[in-house]
Amino acid sequence: EYEEVVVTAQYKAQLIENAVHNIAVIDRKQIESMAAQNVIEAINNQLNIHISEDNILGANIQLQGIGGENVKILIDGIPVTGRQNGNIDLAQIPIENIERIEIVEGPLSVNYGTDALAGTINIITKQNQKNTWEITSNNYSESSGKLNNSLSIGGKFKNHQIILNGGRHFFDGWDPSHKIFDYRNPIADSSRVLLWKPKTQLFGGLNYQFRGTHASLVFNGQYLDEKIINRGYPRPPYFETAFDDYYQTQRINQSLDYQYYFKHNHTLSLTAGYSGYFRKKNTKIRDLTTIDDVITSNPDDQDTSTYHSIMLRGRYIQAKDDKKFNYEVGFEILQEYAFGKKILHKHKNIGDYALYTSAEYS
């Protein structure tokens, strides 16, 4: 058996017992044994992690008692943008293409910025396959009204590899009044107002790799479209109309990673990434007699928020097992832009520009 290796480590992938930080690893085998359908379900049983969920804003994660913007969320080392109430909704990250999840407890600010105070959750996508061709389909159903389907196709051609994946997650809502496996009445439609709101997610991804003798190039792109419906109570006195809220969220995550391997275990690493978040909320009046929808006239009922994050990171690393002294020198540029009515002057941006170095003596 191979010993467990962590990727979110200093300098290079290393054995978990040799890592400086306290790191928990959830690999693909554990994810499948739990039948986890999103990242929230995969990490919910980890020590020192507390999760509370909101139907609209998503999950609130606390790591070691600290949450919000102090928990850094990464996909393949690229920061994820688009926080609602300070939190990233991890349920918006499909788990079908995830190879492992690494949770680093404690500050990792030197490598990943000031908001990595409580810890870092690095979601690592699938980047290797054993066979020349692989086709995988995951299908999941729950009596509560969930139906998830996904498909992945991958192929290897000498030094090249490409993986395509996509799928649909569907949840038709749930309420305590629902009766499980009672088919005399519709399972999840006994009333229009539900405690857990109906949700539909469509997602797709592309991973391309080139691995040569001295260099490697990896591109990873992901897209998600999510729709949530919050149906309101029929309005008195005649109960023929109701206010319904519609939330549509789109996420785009892209990364490009280049590695060049010099002699004597020296490595040059360059990483570029983009993370986009687009959220639109509309309130409509539904005529329950004609099933017609009309957008309300109140401008505060409609809102569109947009976030963009662009990152460039470069590192020069010496990491050799038989050397007592190893080091890393790097830079990072991270620029974030936010647009929306709830933002002061409807537009703000913030930038992190860092030069950093770290060393390790064994």
Side-chain angles (χ1 to χ4, degrees), residues 197-268:
K197 313 306 178 187
K199 179 191 297 186
T200 303
Q201 293 179 336
L202 299 174
F203 56 89
L206 167 67
N207 178 270
Y208 167 76
Q209 295 184 48
F210 168 80
R211 297 193 181 275
T213 306
H214 299 289
S216 67
L217 181 69
V218 179
F219 170 80
N220 189 54
Q222 296 178 337
Y223 173 80
L224 173 129
D225 184 285
E226 177 188 83
K227 292 182 175 67
I228 299 175
I229 303 175
N230 180 18
R231 297 188 177 99
Y233 287 98
R235 302 165 63 208
Y238 302 111
F239 304 101
E240 81 282 8
T241 61
F243 286 108
D244 293 349
D245 296 327
Y246 295 83
Y247 299 85
Q248 182 175 11
T249 303
Q250 294 174 319
R251 280 193 176 274
I252 300 174
N253 297 301
Q254 296 178 329
S255 64
L256 183 65
D257 184 76
Y258 174 77
Q259 306 269 348
Y260 188 86
Y261 308 101
F262 298 96
K263 295 179 179 180
H264 309 298
N265 293 87
H266 288 249
T267 304
L268 174 65

Side-chain angles (χ1 to χ4, degrees), residues 284-308:
K284 299 180 180 179
I285 301 176
R286 166 154 286 197
D287 189 323
L288 299 175
T289 61
T290 63
I291 317 300
D292 292 330
D293 291 322
V294 178
I295 293 180
T296 62
S297 58
N298 185 0
D300 293 335
D301 290 341
Q302 325 304 329
D303 181 52
T304 300
S305 300
T306 303
Y307 296 85
H308 302 278

